[in-house]
Structures are given as structure tokens and as C-alpha cells.
Amino acid sequence: MNIEFNKNEDVFKQLTFQLKEKLKIVKLGGGDKKIAKQHKKGKLTARERINYLIDKQSSFLEVGAFAADGMYQEVGGCPSAGVVTGIGYVQSRQCMIVANDATVKAGAWFPMTAKKNLRAQEIAMENRLPIIYLVDSAGVFLPMQNEIFPDKEHFGRQFRNNAKMSAMGIVQVAAIMGSCVAGGAYLPIMSDEAMIVDKTGSVFLAGSYLVKSAVGEQIDNETLGGATTHCEISGVTDNKFDNDEACLDYIRDIFSKIGDFDKAGFDRVTPSKPKLNEEELYGIMPSDRIKPYDIRDIIKRIVDDSEISEYKALYGKSIVCCTARIDGWAVGIVANQRKIVKTKKGEMQMGGVIYSDSADKSARFIMNCNQRKIPLVFLQDVSGFMVGSNAEHGGIIKDGAKMVNAMANSTVPKFTIIIGNSYGAGNYAMCGKAYDPRLIYAWPTAQIAVMSGSSAAKTLLQIKVATLKAKGQEISKEEEDKLLKEITDKYNEELSPYYAASRLWVDGIIDPLETRKVVSMGIEAANHTPVEKFNVGVIQT
């Protein structure tokens, strides 16, 4: 290994260490004191409930761990948006799990909580995964009710999704393990079966204080909406249990008797590890993000046996398209090439830029994968589409539109891993969040924005200086440097993968060694849903 490799490895491993340390903090939720308070009530925490529920030694793919990271600081923050979501295995069956974290503001719903819950339901609906709700929430966070209550993608959308999933035949099971208040009461009761834990679980449209103020009735919460009331009098809930563990055991029993599902039929063979050392991924990715590298070196450390079958290897070289296997699953990979390449015409193509021939090749490859029912994996390290007179005269817009059209209309499942840059229209063409990837995760090296930090900062500075000069104000070199630094710092913060993850632009940030797990579990989930017929629509030739 050379010095450059060692330098890259040191930087990447430091980023991965920071990721793991941040995850440790996130997983504490509201902190040790709040966890102790939960235990004192005889309750498990959200993460303890999930660990108890899922099969031992099985994988859990968390979705949205960094949701709301750095947000809502004026009210003390909201780690993981106050809810833990992810794909797990219960009785060897994949399912989506949604567990309110009562250590974070009593499990109250913030705007990002709603967005995260809707993302979990979206994944369940796209993949027809059974969904388990572990409910323990005080309801809407009232100081922010205007940002969570009335709009299409707000709090109420989840109940609409409950109804839609029921019509789709998706199994929904709910356990009321704490508070379940107001509109939130509909979520478990619109599920197929609703359990409740005695003495700690309660469900009502209005609590005792509101009942007294509204209708003048004096009543305690347990009598109003506790387990005995709803299992023996109202019939709202189906069974009550003495503690969290007994309730979770019952859910496992339900899942042991669920019938099989129709499958998409994606091809899978016995999995194999990559022959090349996966840990070399840390050293291959340059710490200087404008330096070139060969994307094949990344791909071969992700795929089984490090074997790929490349499509049109000598054409459209700024994107590598190939078929391979990941954990046994057949996949089609579309990856930006960061290596500077030479075309047959003797032209040099910059790394990370999408050229006309590459866009054309990618569109054809995507259509082939749909024809053959092969899931698609996009590895993003893209600066955007090529610009300039040569590109425009060569029809870059037309060829880019072909690629976007084919990708957007793809009916085989798509999975996106952002490993480096994700700038401008390149983010779109390479299946960014707007194009419905089944899962989208980022490495700690990812950056997501309209353009790079340095380019954006210089552009914004020019606009700012021109505006000041138009007002007759002169700006010194020192003031200009200070302004550039302020703009750069702000833009770099927004480039961070944590900024993206906090807003659920990506489903999470992962160690590169987890890439195979994300893709494999994602395809396994997608295999629950038969693939629709592919129709690409109108593509100009």
C-alpha cells in the first residue's frame, strides 16, 4: 500500500469512528436519567423493546437514526426524532418496526417525527412488509402543531396510510405500551390487532384533564382508557398483558402463524464474500474529493467473489454499468467513474461528470435490467452533467433526459448509496431521494448539494459583492475574505451527510462495510412485491 492509500484510510476510519460515536449518543435517546425513569415504571425503552422482539442474532436495519439531528435545539433537541424505525426479522419474517421513544419528550410528535413515521410506512407499502407499531407517545408536540397537523404529509397522513395498507392486505399489528392520545389513538386501532399493557398502556381521544375542562367529568386516566376498560368494556383493544415482555411475546406468536407471500422472484444464489479485502474501501476513496480513482476498485470490494460483468465497457466510460451479485442477489450496478478516461476520439473525460454517451449507455442498461427483472444499485459520486458548447451541441440534455426517464420509470427496485459527491442534476439522474429508491444510504464521505462548497461559496460571494456595489458600498479584501469564510462555513455544514440524514434526505449514514447488508436486506424486502410491467414512455432517440 502506498502513502496516499494510508492517508485516505486514516481519514476515512476517523470519519467512521465519529459516525459510531454519534450513533452511541443518538441511541441513548433522552439520556440515562430518562431511561432509568422508564425502567422504574416497569417499561422497556424503545430500543430494548425492538431488541426483545426481533429474532436473536438477526440483523436490524435502522432507518432514520439521525433524523432531527441538530434540530429543535430551542426545546432541548429530539434525538432520532423521538421514534425508532427499521427493518427487522420476527419469526424469520421481515417486517417494519416503528417504536416511539418515550425518553424523548414523552414520545411526542415533532414535525420530523411525522416525516420519519411516513417514511417507515412508505417502505412498508412499497415492499408490502408487515408493520409493527410499538406505541408510547404523548401525541403532537403542541408548540409546533402548525408544522405537523393539517398538511398532506403531516400527522394525519399516517392514518390514511393505515387504511390503504389494510386494503393492500399488509399485516399491521400494534402494541399500546404507554400513552396513546388524541388523533394518535387511531393508529393502533386501525391496525389488524391491538394489544395493550396493563397499568402502563392507555388510549383515549382526550385525557382526564381535557375531559374535565370539556365536559366537566371527573375521572382518572386508567378508568378512562386503561387496559381493563378497553379489553373488558369498550372492546377497543384485543388483549391485555402484564408487562412489555408478555406483550412482545404475543406479537412473536402472531408472526409465527402468518402465511407466505407472493414474491417478485429476484434471482439469488448462495452468497459469497468479496475476494478482495472489503476494508481496503477505506483507503481507495481519496480524502481529497477531487482526486480520481477507479470506481471498479470500489465495486469489486462490495460484490460477491469480486466479480462483475461490465456492459459497454469501451463506451460511455464516465459511468460504469455492470451486473454482479451482492449477498447472492443478482444486481445491476450504475456507478459514476471518478477516473479520468480517454474516449475513442482521443477526448479526455473528467471524473464524476456524466457525458452524453454515458447517459445513453445508462438508459439502455437500466432498460435491460427491467427486462430481466434485476434490481438496480446506484453508487453516487457525481459532480453533475457535462456543460459547455461541445456538450450542448452533442445533445447532453436529450441524453440526460433519456437516462432520467428510464430510471424514473424503472419498476424493478432501486437502491442508492451515496459514497462521495452528489451534486446538481447528477443527484437526480443517479436516483436521488426524489426518484423513489427503496432505500437510500450515505457513507460518511458523502456530500449532497446543488454544487460543491467552493463553487457555491464563490458564486454566492460574487452575487453578494455585486449587490453591495450596486448600493454604492465598497468592500475591502479583508471583508471579502471574511464574507467568503462565512458563506463557505454555512454551505459546508449543509453539505454534510448528517445534515441530509437529519432531514431524511437519506435513510441513514453507514460504515462502507455495511453496504452489502443494506442492499441485501433491501432486495429481500422488495422481493415481497411482484414487479409491474416496465413502460419507459417517450424517449427521444
Side-chain angles (χ1 to χ4, degrees):
M1 298 301 172
N2 57 33
I3 294 174
E4 190 70 26
F5 181 97
N6 292 336
K7 179 185 173 184
N8 294 340
E9 185 178 45
D10 288 344
V11 171
F12 208 143
K13 284 190 173 180
Q14 183 62 34
L15 290 172
T16 305
F17 173 78
Q18 291 169 5
L19 166 65
K20 291 175 180 176
E21 290 301 301
K22 283 177 74 74
L23 277 171
K24 285 180 186 177
I25 295 170
V26 162
K27 289 181 179 181
L28 285 174
D32 291 329
K33 288 184 179 178
K34 293 290 179 67
I35 291 171
K37 189 176 179 182
Q38 185 96 334
H39 289 162
K40 192 173 181 180
K41 293 178 181 177
K43 297 163 68 176
L44 300 175
T45 66
R47 292 183 183 279
E48 287 169 344
R49 286 166 179 163
I50 291 173
N51 288 338
Y52 187 93
L53 176 65
I54 63 175
D55 298 345
K56 301 299 174 273
Q57 309 304 317
S58 68
S59 295
F60 180 70
L61 178 58
E62 188 162 353
V63 173
F66 288 110
D69 180 56
M71 300 173 70
Y72 313 125
Q73 293 305 304
E74 67 279 7
V75 292
C78 186
S80 230
V83 61
V84 183
T85 61
I87 300 172
Y89 296 86
V90 176
Q91 299 288 22
S92 300
R93 181 179 292 277
Q94 259 193 346
C95 57
M96 172 58 70
I97 303 172
V98 178
N100 299 115
D101 187 349
T103 71
V104 179
K105 299 290 187 294
W109 282 62
F110 285 71
M112 283 305 303
T113 315
K115 187 172 183 178
K116 184 170 174 178
N117 267 49
L118 292 176
R119 175 60 178 149
Q121 289 183 320
E122 179 183 42
I123 292 170
M125 293 169 79
E126 284 180 331
N127 299 292
R128 294 183 183 266
L129 288 180
I131 187 166
I132 299 169
Y133 304 102
L134 306 180
V135 185
D136 193 347
S137 171
V140 168
F141 185 67
L142 290 177
M144 293 183 176
Q145 64 85 27
N146 63 314
E147 298 179 49
I148 188 175
F149 171 65
D151 209 349
K152 180 179 179 180
E153 299 297 332
H154 282 181
F155 187 72
R157 185 76 172 182
Q158 65 173 339
F159 313 131
R160 174 263 190 197
N161 288 349
N162 281 143
K164 289 289 185 181
M165 282 191 278
S166 182
M168 291 167 68
I170 296 172
V171 173
Q172 299 177 84
V173 174
I176 301 163
M177 312 183 89
S179 297
C180 186
V181 185
Y186 287 103
L187 186 143
I189 310 310
M190 291 184 75
S191 299
D192 305 325
E193 193 163 349
M195 284 66 70
I196 187 167
V197 179
D198 198 18
K199 300 298 185 289
T200 56
S202 59
V203 54
F204 33 64
L205 294 180
S208 56
Y209 292 120
L210 184 54
V211 166
K212 185 177 180 181
S213 65
V215 298
E217 182 182 3
Q218 184 78 39
I219 190 170
D220 64 88
N221 282 338
E222 184 63 28
T223 306
L224 180 66
T228 298
T229 295
H230 285 311
C231 284
E232 300 180 23
I233 300 173
S234 72
V236 167
T237 52
D238 300 307
N239 285 294
K240 68 177 180 178
F241 300 90
D242 291 335
N243 51 49
D244 285 5
E245 290 88 347
C247 186
L248 296 168
D249 286 338
Y250 185 78
I251 293 175
R252 288 185 56 79
D253 183 64
I254 290 173
F255 271 71
S256 72
K257 299 179 176 69
I258 293 176
D260 205 357
F261 54 89
D262 295 333
K263 297 178 178 65
F266 302 126
D267 186 63
R268 193 181 197 188
V269 298
T270 303
S272 301
K273 290 281 188 182
K275 285 182 179 176
L276 298 176
N277 186 355
E278 292 177 73
E279 294 203 358
E280 289 175 357
L281 289 169
Y282 299 126
I284 293 168
M285 282 290 290
S287 54
D288 182 347
R289 58 197 320 111
I290 65 171
K291 286 191 174 180
Y293 64 92
D294 193 337
I295 190 63
R296 295 177 188 85
D297 292 334
I298 297 285
I299 296 171
K300 289 179 180 180
R301 285 162 177 81
I302 293 173
V303 302
D304 293 11
D305 294 319
S306 299
E307 291 181 355
I308 65 172
S309 297
E310 195 164 344
Y311 174 75
K312 288 183 178 285
L314 301 178
Y315 177 74
K317 295 181 179 180
S318 72
I319 288 183
V320 171
C321 297
C322 62
T323 53
R325 291 190 182 274
I326 294 179
D327 199 33
W329 295 103
V331 295
I333 297 172
V334 181
N336 302 112
Q337 176 59 287
R338 295 294 306 189
K339 184 180 176 183
I340 298 172
V341 296
K342 191 174 184 179
T343 69
K344 287 283 187 181
K345 296 178 182 178
E347 300 166 336
M348 301 304 291
Q349 292 188 346
M350 294 187 296
V353 177
I354 302 175
Y355 289 78
S356 282
D357 52 0
S358 300
D360 174 67
K361 176 175 82 170
S362 299
R364 293 168 182 267
F365 179 73
I366 289 166
M367 288 188 280
N368 283 351
C369 287
N370 275 269
Q371 184 77 5
R372 299 167 192 172
K373 204 159 39 172
I374 301 174
L376 287 159
V377 177
F378 293 82
L379 299 180
Q380 283 198 18
D381 191 354
V382 58
S383 303
F385 283 88
M386 190 58 190
V387 296
S389 60
N390 285 343
E392 297 294 356
H393 296 170
I396 185 68
I397 296 175
K398 178 185 67 176
D399 290 321
K402 283 187 205 175
M403 180 178 177
V404 171
N405 197 330
M407 180 273 301
N409 284 298
S410 176
T411 56
V412 295
K414 299 170 291 193
F415 304 90
T416 302
I417 308 293
I418 302 174
I419 68 175
N421 301 332
S422 180
Y423 299 152
N427 169 281
Y428 298 163
M430 291 294 292
C431 196
K433 183 67 182 289
Y435 291 85
D436 298 324
R438 295 293 177 96
L439 294 171
I440 177 169
Y441 280 81
W443 286 4
T445 45
Q447 288 191 349
I448 305 168
V450 172
M451 62 182 75
S452 71
S454 59
S455 298
K458 289 172 185 175
T459 303
L460 291 168
L461 178 65
Q462 288 172 10
I463 294 169
K464 184 75 173 176
V465 170
T467 302
L468 291 171
K469 285 183 177 179
K471 294 178 180 178
Q473 299 177 30
E474 289 299 321
I475 182 168
S476 68
K477 180 67 169 62
E478 291 75 15
E479 290 172 327
E480 191 173 311
D481 290 343
K482 182 182 177 184
L483 191 55
L484 178 61
K485 184 180 184 306
E486 289 173 358
I487 294 170
T488 302
D489 289 347
K490 180 179 183 297
Y491 203 88
N492 283 340
E493 179 190 347
E494 294 172 1
L495 279 171
S496 163
Y498 295 100
Y499 190 90
S502 72
R503 288 152 182 81
L504 286 177
W505 300 346
V506 295
D507 292 319
I509 305 170
I510 57 169
D511 183 324
L513 301 184
E514 293 182 288
T515 304
R516 284 169 55 82
K517 168 188 163 182
V518 168
V519 174
S520 178
M521 288 185 67
I523 297 175
E524 185 179 350
N527 204 34
H528 287 72
T529 310
V531 176
E532 297 176 8
K533 183 180 178 182
F534 176 65
N535 185 351
V536 77
V538 176
I539 288 187
Q540 286 186 317
T541 56

